[in-house]
Amino acid sequence: MKINTIVVDDEPLARQRVIKLLEHFEDINLIEECSTGKKAIQFINEFAPALVFLDIKLKDMTGFKVLEKISPNVKPVVVFITAYDEFAIKAFDYFALDYLQKPFREDRFMKSVNKAIEVIKDKHYPLFDNKIKNILDYMNSQGEKKDFIKKIPVKIGNKVLFIDIQDIIYITASGYYAEIFTENKKYLLRDSLNNLITQLNSNNFLRIHRSTIINLNYISELINSNYGEIDVKMNDNKLFRISKSYKKDFTNAMGL
């Protein structure tokens, strides 16, 4: 019997890579692909797939929130996909859940799929059921205790560096990545500004554009144009335009 499968990832190329690799498995029957958590909840509840490949960081919600919102009667085996998430990796390692860390190798993917197929065919659902419950409980407890982060983990090769938040001057968006600028170096992190801004203390960090977050402590001066626009000049002389949608938040934060 074919194993009905759904792939959930908000990055089209990443989603298509998973779908392409799944073509190697005769047991897998891909029934849907989703780019949002909302669609994932709808399709999982509607089709009750046996297997779900689930990205942790979707644009509209986390993969954990998707699992919380699906029907309790639907119990798929879940293979998580993550670029890098400090709390999730710790939780996966602790609860021995299977996951794919981007960018993953093909052999690692094949191993993960074979493991999922074995679990499904041997009907080890209660085991995975308990693991999913445990990981959701763990993530929820972390959310309740979580304060603003003091360091950002950045993976470079086979190492993980931790950048002190206070050293960050500004963060800009670059495709699927965030470029983190300190006084001496630029770091590339596979994460969205939407996610990062929720982890940064708003007393110090403010989003001034859909592609820019600045550390207020490093502002050198403000430049007003004749058209009511404001540019921010940072200590390193970098200029950023404050977009209209973020102008009110900025002026309130600066007491203007």
Side-chain angles (χ1 to χ4, degrees):
M1 187 175 70
K2 295 278 189 176
I3 296 172
N4 289 337
T5 304
I6 289 178
V7 176
V8 185
D9 198 309
D10 59 3
E11 298 178 18
L13 292 178
R15 195 167 63 249
Q16 289 306 311
R17 182 173 183 235
V18 171
I19 292 170
K20 188 70 177 175
L21 289 172
L22 287 175
E23 292 177 359
H24 292 86
F25 297 88
E26 295 181 357
D27 293 316
I28 299 295
N29 176 39
L30 179 70
I31 54 175
E32 278 294 351
E33 57 177 290
C34 314
S35 61
T36 67
K38 184 178 179 181
K39 280 290 185 184
I41 294 166
Q42 175 189 334
F43 288 146
I44 292 172
N45 284 337
E46 181 178 351
F47 298 111
L51 177 61
V52 175
F53 289 86
L54 182 60
D55 190 12
I56 290 177
K57 293 182 179 177
L58 302 166
K59 289 179 180 177
D60 57 341
M61 67 182 74
T62 67
F64 302 117
K65 187 61 67 176
V66 170
L67 293 180
E68 287 179 341
K69 289 181 175 292
I70 63 174
S71 168
N73 297 322
V74 181
K75 300 176 180 180
V77 167
V78 178
V79 176
F80 287 104
I81 302 174
T82 177
Y84 185 81
D85 188 290
E86 180 185 3
F87 295 107
I89 294 298
K90 288 180 181 177
F92 292 146
D93 287 340
Y94 183 77
F95 292 115
L97 267 169
D98 202 15
Y99 66 95
L100 294 168
Q101 188 174 352
K102 298 177 183 177
F104 53 80
R105 301 190 314 271
E106 285 193 19
D107 61 334
R108 177 65 183 85
F109 180 87
M110 301 301 181
K111 181 179 179 181
S112 182
V113 177
N114 284 324
K115 179 179 179 181
I117 291 173
E118 181 182 352
V119 168
I120 292 168
K121 288 191 171 182
D122 289 346
K123 301 188 184 303
H124 287 160
Y125 285 93
L127 174 66
F128 266 71
D129 226 18
N130 291 334
K131 290 183 182 297
I132 293 295
K133 181 182 182 303
N134 288 339
I135 200 169
L136 288 178
D137 289 343
Y138 175 85
M139 297 306 293
N140 284 334
S141 69
Q142 290 299 316
E144 292 170 1
K145 298 174 184 176
K146 186 178 177 183
D147 197 354
F148 294 114
I149 57 175
K150 294 180 175 61
K151 293 178 181 288
I152 292 181
V154 176
K155 188 175 182 182
I156 301 177
N158 62 348
K159 298 181 180 179
V160 176
L161 300 181
F162 291 89
I163 306 170
D164 285 326
I165 293 299
Q166 62 186 11
D167 294 335
I168 297 173
I169 304 175
Y170 46 83
I171 305 172
T172 61
S174 178
Y176 294 122
Y177 291 83
E179 294 181 324
I180 301 175
F181 291 83
T182 64
E183 289 188 18
N184 302 314
K185 196 169 182 180
K186 179 181 77 173
Y187 301 90
L188 202 60
L189 176 69
R190 192 180 179 89
D191 205 344
S192 68
L193 265 60
N194 284 338
N195 182 60
L196 286 172
I197 194 62
T198 64
Q199 303 178 61
L200 298 169
N201 192 326
S202 59
N203 290 329
N204 299 322
F205 289 89
L206 200 65
R207 193 167 188 175
I208 60 169
H209 191 276
R210 63 184 179 85
S211 62
T212 312
I213 296 172
I214 64 169
N215 186 338
L216 302 180
N217 295 319
Y218 287 91
I219 293 177
S220 173
E221 60 184 20
L222 303 179
I223 303 171
N224 293 287
S225 74
N226 295 329
Y227 304 99
E229 295 177 332
I230 302 175
D231 287 339
V232 176
K233 187 176 182 180
M234 308 302 290
N235 283 353
D236 64 352
N237 294 320
K238 179 72 174 180
L239 278 175
F240 292 110
R241 173 64 49 84
I242 300 174
S243 67
K244 292 181 180 179
S245 56
Y246 293 99
K247 184 178 178 181
K248 185 177 180 181
D249 289 341
F250 178 80
T251 55
N252 286 341
M254 300 301 292
L256 300 175

